[in-house]
Amino acid sequence: MAKVISFQIPKSQREFVRYQEDRGRHFYDKLHQHPQLQLTVILEGKGQFLSGDYVGRFQVGDLFFLGENVPHVFRSDPEYFEENGKLSTAGNTIFFDFAALGTALGELEDLQALRKFKDFSGLCFQVLGETKSRILEIFDVFPESYGLARFQFAIQLLAILDQAGDSLVPLNRPTLIRGLSERDGKRMDQVMQFLLENRFRQVSLEEASEKANLSKEAFCRFFKLRTRKTFTQYLQLLRINEAQKLLQETDLPVSEIAFKVGFENLSYFNRSFKSILGMPPKAFRK
């Protein structure tokens, strides 16, 4: 499948299922969306997964399922962007293009179960447990399949997801408007990139609104509508997300981590961490 361009719908090639392997120093780092459903397994690399009001991390072995038109980005950690770095990323993705089924989706009784996936528009999930194991088994043989065998695997994957139950964990809530216009998408991408690059320093509302080319009042409305978070809350989420990484991967004292991720007050960092993750930093590290 061709690279999915940010906020542009790829022309249909009349394929119900497409398979893509991403290999490189870092994953595609622009906020983007597309009408195809997406099933992605992370084979190498780690970083932040952002989608709507969700701010979390991805790592090797994670499996994600995204509905139609979910604005999202797998943003590799900063070390993956270093010029002479030796790190690399790898991920495999299967796309499902329901538009390719035409009227069959609404007319064929055999395909009625697929219609529920239309309700997943704007939503993303992490796949866990036995469901994940069954899906990864199909991922192992999927690249060599073609024609009816590939179509059969695709339907089998959707059937597994249909019966996933609690193994399909919702990560975000649908935004008030599902999907973004190309203009709003580019604006949101600029803001996201700016926040990710500057999240460890004091970032003012004025700076962020200038990046979006909006007044402060208009920017606050724009941002809250698309993330369900205020600018300050979202920035705090990004910082706590980075603190999780440092708590897991380093032996740095909690006070130093708090300072590194942009908090000037340790007690405020502890309160913020607990309010978001339900436990203090030291307990999370253990």
Side-chain angles (χ1 to χ4, degrees):
M1 176 180 175
K3 174 66 77 176
V4 178
I5 305 299
S6 178
F7 294 97
Q8 292 184 18
I9 298 174
K11 289 185 174 63
S12 172
Q13 297 175 10
R14 311 311 296 169
E15 295 173 326
F16 171 59
V17 60
R18 307 182 200 174
Y19 176 72
Q20 175 175 300
E21 294 185 351
D22 290 295
R23 305 290 185 267
R25 288 174 52 194
H26 56 78
F27 288 118
Y28 184 57
D29 63 342
K30 305 293 185 188
L31 187 71
H32 64 288
Q33 66 186 27
H34 42 75
Q36 297 90 350
L37 286 77
Q38 174 176 341
L39 193 56
T40 293
V41 59
I42 305 297
L43 303 175
E44 192 175 349
K46 59 185 189 300
Q48 291 183 312
F49 177 45
L50 311 177
S51 178
D53 65 342
Y54 179 72
V55 176
R57 291 193 60 75
F58 68 85
Q59 59 188 356
V60 174
D62 283 346
L63 180 65
F64 298 98
F65 179 56
L66 286 68
E68 296 178 1
N69 293 315
V70 184
H72 63 281
V73 59
F74 290 96
R75 173 79 180 188
S76 301
D77 281 335
E79 54 265 33
Y80 289 86
F81 291 87
E82 292 173 2
E83 285 217 10
N84 299 315
K86 295 181 179 179
L87 295 173
S88 60
T89 60
N92 293 343
T93 297
I94 297 171
F95 295 95
F96 306 89
D97 189 354
F98 280 19
L101 297 175
T103 58
L105 189 63
E107 294 174 358
L108 287 180
E109 287 291 330
D110 302 327
L111 298 181
Q112 288 304 297
L114 295 183
R115 296 178 69 179
K116 71 170 282 186
F117 290 104
K118 303 293 283 184
D119 296 333
F120 288 9
S121 177
L123 294 173
C124 62
F125 305 83
Q126 185 161 8
V127 188
L128 303 174
E130 180 63 23
T131 300
K132 174 182 170 182
S133 300
R134 292 173 65 194
I135 287 173
L136 292 184
E137 286 177 6
I138 295 176
F139 258 101
D140 287 340
V141 296
F142 199 87
E144 284 73 44
S145 67
Y146 62 93
L148 283 176
R150 176 165 285 197
F151 184 84
Q152 182 183 17
F153 280 140
I155 296 298
Q156 191 176 345
L157 287 169
L158 291 169
I160 292 170
L161 289 166
D162 180 43
Q163 301 297 321
D166 294 340
S167 297
L168 202 60
V169 181
L171 299 179
N172 69 342
R173 293 176 295 172
T175 52
L176 298 180
I177 45 173
R178 292 181 174 183
L180 294 169
S181 67
E182 185 172 350
R183 180 184 175 189
D184 281 355
K186 287 179 177 175
R187 177 173 277 160
M188 199 68 202
D189 180 53
Q190 287 176 326
V191 173
M192 291 273 200
Q193 296 276 4
F194 173 73
L195 292 181
L196 282 165
E197 290 164 8
N198 295 276
R199 62 193 184 276
F200 304 140
R201 68 172 179 84
Q202 295 305 310
V203 181
S204 69
L205 180 59
E206 288 83 358
E207 284 181 283
S209 56
E210 280 178 15
K211 280 291 172 187
N213 200 24
L214 293 169
S215 69
K216 286 191 289 184
E217 294 76 15
F219 172 76
C220 287
R221 289 194 300 271
F222 170 83
F223 195 83
K224 184 75 178 285
L225 182 65
R226 287 152 184 83
T227 65
R228 295 185 187 266
K229 300 278 189 298
T230 65
F231 159 73
T232 304
Q233 288 171 331
Y234 198 85
L235 192 58
Q236 188 182 79
L237 266 178
L238 291 175
R239 289 171 174 168
I240 295 299
N241 195 248
E242 186 68 21
Q244 288 178 256
K245 174 193 172 189
L246 294 174
L247 286 164
Q248 287 175 320
E249 299 179 5
T250 74
D251 295 321
L252 292 173
V254 171
S255 57
E256 189 173 341
I257 288 175
F259 178 74
K260 267 184 173 293
V261 301
F263 285 85
E264 296 180 348
N265 181 300
L266 179 59
S267 61
Y268 180 50
F269 168 73
N270 284 328
R271 285 200 309 275
S272 300
F273 194 99
K274 186 174 182 179
S275 70
I276 291 170
L277 293 175
M279 66 181 80
K282 287 183 178 177
F284 176 84
R285 172 172 265 171
K286 288 178 183 176

